[in-house]
Amino acid sequence: MKSIQVLLADPHPLIRAGLRLLLTQMRGVTVQAEVGTGTELLEQLTARRPDVLITEMNVPGAAAIEVARRIARHLPGVRVLLLSTQIDSAQVQSALKAGVLGFVSKAGDPAELEIALRAVTNGNPYLSPHFARFAIDRRRSRQDVHSVRLPTRQREVLQMLGRGKTTKEIASLLGLSVKTVETHRARLMQALDLNNINALLHYAVRHEVEDGTAV
């Protein structure tokens, strides 16, 4: 089994040391490097191309949201897992749109880090309960304005994405070609005003899809 290659970014050496210790105790996880500045982070991303970047919200010289945007453009194979103690609803939404796939609260249980890491490695979104409530609150406040009627096939694709199915699995289950499923994904992102596939995955997991209406 291929080891999960992790790049760790946090401005505080003591926190990095603790995170490294946790990560090295996980089966099949390798910490490639740890960095404390934005310059180091961008250099190591390009040089090492890790499977997952685990980063603090604000590394000096490279805010996590901007780094996620760069990764989405230039290193789409790298997953971003964000660690933070304080983050508000607007930041969560901005991070999702930028391509961040996972959020873990530093106030959470250490075991949660491994759950989140393995989820994002497999391309599945993960939000700590502390951060998930922001998505729920946003949904409740906007559902009347942003309810969207979806065609049956797009709704089926969205449901399967929410269940963690890959594009190939969805194509097989629905009797479609992979290209057709990709087309449905693109139309879903347009209909739901989402900027990338990571944001669509978060939407699929966090929102119910019932009676042809996505809210």
Side-chain angles (χ1 to χ4, degrees):
M1 180 183 295
K2 179 180 177 293
S3 177
I4 301 171
Q5 303 295 307
V6 174
L7 176 61
L8 182 59
D10 193 289
H12 305 103
L14 189 60
I15 292 177
R16 290 202 308 271
L19 290 170
R20 175 184 278 273
L21 180 60
L22 282 174
L23 291 165
T24 54
Q25 292 174 343
M26 297 176 190
R27 179 176 53 83
V29 176
T30 300
V31 179
Q32 292 180 315
E34 59 180 73
V35 299
T37 69
T39 299
E40 294 172 326
L41 172 54
L42 296 175
E43 288 176 352
Q44 291 296 324
L45 271 174
T46 302
R48 298 182 181 273
R49 295 174 180 262
D51 297 312
V52 180
L53 167 64
I54 298 179
T55 181
E56 162 64 38
M57 184 70 180
N58 292 304
V59 176
I65 292 175
E66 180 54 37
V67 171
R69 291 194 184 104
R70 293 191 186 193
I71 287 173
R73 289 195 299 266
H74 305 297
L75 298 168
V78 179
R79 315 294 190 184
V80 181
L81 177 59
L82 185 63
L83 304 181
S84 185
T85 50
Q86 297 291 333
I87 188 170
D88 61 29
S89 179
Q91 289 174 315
V92 168
Q93 296 303 320
S94 294
L96 291 176
K97 288 183 177 181
V100 172
L101 195 56
F103 296 81
V104 173
S105 170
K106 287 185 177 180
D109 189 285
E112 188 179 11
L113 179 61
E114 181 171 5
I115 296 170
L117 175 61
R118 298 197 186 282
V120 301
T121 299
N122 291 325
N124 298 318
Y126 181 89
L127 274 77
S128 287
H130 176 75
F131 298 139
R133 66 183 177 85
F134 291 133
I136 294 170
D137 290 345
R138 184 176 178 85
R139 175 192 167 196
R140 287 172 177 168
S141 66
R142 298 182 62 185
Q143 61 182 7
D144 291 336
V145 178
H146 291 274
S147 293
V148 179
R149 299 291 300 184
L150 297 175
T152 299
R153 188 61 85 187
Q154 288 183 23
R155 178 162 49 91
E156 291 172 342
V157 170
L158 188 62
Q159 287 173 328
M160 291 188 180
L161 287 171
R163 294 167 187 162
K165 302 296 184 184
T166 66
T167 299
K168 289 184 179 180
E169 289 172 335
I170 295 171
S172 177
L173 288 167
L174 296 180
L176 304 172
S177 69
V178 169
K179 186 173 182 180
T180 298
V181 174
E182 290 174 344
T183 298
H184 283 310
R185 288 191 334 190
R187 289 175 178 170
L188 280 166
M189 286 188 284
Q190 183 178 16
L192 299 172
D193 193 25
L194 301 172
N195 294 338
N196 54 55
I197 186 60
N198 287 343
L200 179 61
L201 288 171
H202 276 288
Y203 187 101
V205 170
R206 296 296 168 185
H207 295 68
E208 296 175 2
V209 184
E210 298 174 347
D211 300 325
T213 302
V215 295

